[in-house]
């Protein structure tokens, strides 16, 4: 397993923007799942945005659609999360997550589509003030 490392968290006022980045494994010629998850105090961890390379598609939580964008740079194996129009309810610890895909699996849940041998980052704090 590889320890991923997130960069780019911080404090911002509502309406502001932040960009998170994460160095991911080099899944050369393999199908993979790359995602951003978050966990706020007292709440369950939730998926924010995911790239499904097997389908060439992305998933976004309803709460961030239209405001957040997940992307990747294959040249240097970096995953990004551009967060715009931030709201106080976006305040959480944000984590990068990476795993190989399970063939012929579909849907929106990471656990259904991605192998359990996965890598996580230690998290980066995002705080949005009103």
């Amino acid at each position: 397993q590889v320890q991923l490392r997130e960069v780019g968290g911080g404090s911002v006022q509502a309406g502001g923007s932040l960009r998170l980045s994460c160095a991911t494994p080099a899944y050369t010629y393999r199908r993979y799942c790359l995602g951003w998850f978050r966990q706020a105090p007292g709440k369950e961890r939730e998926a924010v945005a995911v790239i499904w390379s097997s389908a060439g598609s992305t998933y976004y939580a309803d709460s961030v659609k239209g405001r957040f964008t997940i992307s990747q740079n294959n040249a240097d194996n970096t995953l990004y999360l551009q967060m715009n129009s931030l709201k106080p309810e976006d305040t959480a610890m944000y984590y990068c997550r990476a795993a190989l895909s399970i063939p012929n699996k579909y849907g929106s849940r990471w656990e259904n589509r991605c192998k359990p041998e996965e890598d996580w980052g230690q998290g980066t704090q995002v705080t949005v003030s009103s």
Side-chain angles (χ1 to χ4, degrees), residues 87-103:
K87 303 176 180 180
E89 50 264 43
D90 295 318
T91 295
M93 186 72 78
Y94 283 71
Y95 299 89
C96 177
R97 188 176 185 184
L100 292 173
S101 297
I102 301 172

Side-chain angles (χ1 to χ4, degrees), residues 44-97:
E44 292 188 356
R45 185 177 61 202
E46 63 174 348
V48 176
V50 179
I51 291 175
W52 313 111
S53 80
S54 58
S57 61
T58 56
Y59 161 86
Y60 290 96
D62 288 342
S63 59
V64 306
K65 282 181 181 176
R67 301 188 297 121
F68 290 12
T69 303
I70 188 171
S71 63
Q72 61 179 131
N73 183 336
N74 290 322
D76 63 6
N77 301 308
T78 303
L79 183 69
Y80 298 99
L81 184 67
Q82 178 67 43
M83 305 184 293
N84 298 330
S85 302
L86 282 161
K87 303 176 180 180
E89 50 264 43
D90 295 318
T91 295
M93 186 72 78
Y94 283 71
Y95 299 89
C96 177
R97 188 176 185 184

Side-chain angles (χ1 to χ4, degrees), residues 98-117:
L100 292 173
S101 297
I102 301 172
N104 303 315
K105 293 293 185 181
Y106 305 96
S108 61
R109 286 187 56 82
W110 180 282
E111 290 73 14
N112 292 342
R113 299 186 64 162
C114 313
K115 294 187 177 182
E117 300 81 18

